[in-house]
């Protein structure tokens, strides 16, 4: 288990994070149009996996907007935004906000959060995903991971993008 905070109170996750160098699990998520979304759909591409509790919160919405903006200039890279929101809520938010550079997918009927060890085990957010970011290379090996220490704060966007740029070196 990992410990993060939610509103400055300790919050446990269901397991431990995978390490840099591990393969990212290829589970089947649900796209905003209810179609399957799998990591293998992005074969040969780098992937930034942005995970958060719910698009209906201000910080989560800010995270989605920020990665949408940053994704516009990334070559051979897909930003995959994942929460346990229903696909309808994700689609509604993305349409209202003009989100076009991010692939949104729901973990509501998969076990990705559990496989990554980021499903929250307690707090009022029990069952939702802890805020985290994974950067994957073209072979979908993890090159960067951040479990945000306080669920109510944004991730370190610059560190995630730096990890991507290091792949060019």
């Amino acid at each position: 288990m990992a410990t993060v905070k939610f509103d400055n109170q300790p919050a446990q996750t269901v397991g431990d994070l995978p390490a840099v160098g591990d393969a990212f699990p290829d589970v089947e998520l649900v796209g905003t149009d209810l179609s399957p979304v799998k990591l293998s759909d992005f074969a040969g591409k780098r992937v930034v996996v942005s995970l958060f509790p719910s698009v209906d919160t201000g910080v989560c919405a800010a995270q989605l907007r920020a990665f949408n903006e940053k994704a516009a200039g990334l070559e051979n890279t897909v930003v995959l935004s994942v929460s346990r929101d229903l696909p309808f809520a994700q689609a509604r938010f993305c349409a209202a906000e003009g989100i076009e550079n991010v692939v949104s997918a729901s973990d509501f009927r998969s076990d990705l959060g559990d496989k990554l060890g980021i499903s929250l085990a307690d707090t009022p957010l029990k069952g939702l995903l802890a805020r985290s970011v994974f950067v994957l290379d073209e072979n979908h090996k993890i090159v960067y991971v951040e479990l945000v220490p306080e669920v109510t704060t944004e991730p370190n966007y610059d560190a995630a993008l730096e990890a991507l740029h290091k792949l060019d070196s």
Side-chain angles (χ1 to χ4, degrees), residues 27-153:
V27 298
E28 187 172 293
L29 302 169
V30 181
T32 56
D33 61 356
L34 301 179
S35 65
V37 175
K38 295 169 66 175
L39 190 61
S40 57
D41 295 340
F42 311 114
K45 293 191 180 282
R46 298 171 183 172
V47 182
V48 176
V49 186
S50 169
L51 302 109
F52 51 83
S54 175
V55 73
D56 286 325
T57 69
V59 177
C60 298
Q63 182 174 336
L64 183 50
R65 284 186 204 105
F67 273 121
N68 181 64
E69 180 183 312
K70 294 170 186 318
L74 301 175
E75 291 187 34
N76 195 39
T77 303
V78 172
V79 176
L80 180 61
S81 178
V82 182
S83 68
R84 288 202 169 145
D85 290 298
L86 291 177
F88 314 112
Q90 291 175 335
R92 182 181 63 246
F93 178 85
C94 289
E97 294 286 330
I99 305 292
E100 298 177 350
N101 301 317
V102 169
V103 175
S104 287
S106 177
D107 182 41
F108 86 103
R109 61 180 177 210
S110 87
D111 60 352
L112 178 62
D114 295 338
K115 287 183 176 181
L116 295 175
I118 63 164
S119 294
L120 291 165
D122 52 18
T123 80
L125 298 181
K126 180 180 179 177
L128 296 179
L129 304 177
R131 188 174 317 284
S132 51
V133 177
F134 292 81
V135 175
L136 316 178
D137 68 11
E138 293 88 346
N139 299 310
H140 300 159
K141 299 281 186 197
I142 299 169
V143 298
Y144 172 83
V145 60
E146 177 188 11
L147 177 61
V148 179
E150 168 59 63
V151 175
T152 61
T153 62

Side-chain angles (χ1 to χ4, degrees), residues 14-27:
V14 297
D16 296 318
L17 291 171
V20 169
D22 289 349
F24 196 85
D26 189 20
V27 298

